[in-house]
Amino acid sequence: MPAEDTNTRAWQIYGQRQLARAYTPPIPDRLGWTPWEGIGPGAEVLGDVAGRRVLDIGSGAGHHAVHLVQAHGARVTGIELSPTQHERAVSAHADVDGVEFVQADVAEYLAGAEPFDAAYAIGTLAFIDPHRSLPALRDGLRPGAPLILSLLHTDLHGRGPFTEVAPREQMIMLRDDPPLPTQMWVLAPQLWEDLLIEYGFRVEAIDLLPHPDNSATVIQQLIRARRLPHGRRESPADPAAPERQRHTRPSASASASASASASASGRS
């Protein structure tokens, strides 16, 4: 089965399980890019989003989108491929002004949408082939718009990220239910940077965010990029380009890696 078809099936089952539990995650007080409270920056990395159109990629139950609307005055479109995940968001937040939930493939949706002022994905973009998602995001964002991505860096087994663009099996873990296999593009930071540059973005920072418990081996990577003017490409070696923030080095005790659990994906 193709990787993205595997993921579509997994998130359909996951959403159905959460609907059966009638579980709705609370609206957070702060936008978080990792499963761990207080680790890493908040919504400020998106810039001033008040009154701006923001795309939430893989919006799941919709709680992050609602936070941006209520706390920061954004106008958010949450795009979600899974019908059951979309149902969770609509059933809980359909009455919230300023947020719209759309059930669709993000690349197909962006092909016909007005360009957005900003976009973000909390743990979700790694479930889509970057050769399909990144050109769609380039065309679906206004020049200069930020793109913020929280991505898996390694996995629970200590396997480091790939240095080639290929998916590998990762499990969505759920309490009291069998794990769900997915296919994820778990890529090294430099490879993500190369891909973003190839598709018309400038990478401004890549941070590695380790688990707050030093005995754990979980790390997320947070990538801050910006859409360049159409047709322009920029290399990190380009002397005219601003210097990119260096990668944040995790502590030695956390040098191995991250989880592909449902919490790490951002889709609570």
Side-chain angles (χ1 to χ4, degrees), residues 110-128:
L110 287 173
E114 179 185 348
F116 284 84
D117 300 310
Y120 69 97
I122 301 178
T124 56
L125 203 74
F127 293 100
I128 309 171

Side-chain angles (χ1 to χ4, degrees), residues 166-182:
R168 72 180 183 208
E169 186 175 77
Q170 299 286 163
M171 294 292 181
I172 301 173
M173 311 302 292
L174 264 180
R175 185 181 300 173
D176 303 325
D177 277 312
L180 291 170
T182 67

Side-chain angles (χ1 to χ4, degrees), residues 155-173:
D155 62 31
L156 284 173
H157 306 290
R159 294 179 297 175
F162 279 1
T163 54
E164 60 177 324
V165 183
R168 72 180 183 208
E169 186 175 77
Q170 299 286 163
M171 294 292 181
I172 301 173
M173 311 302 292

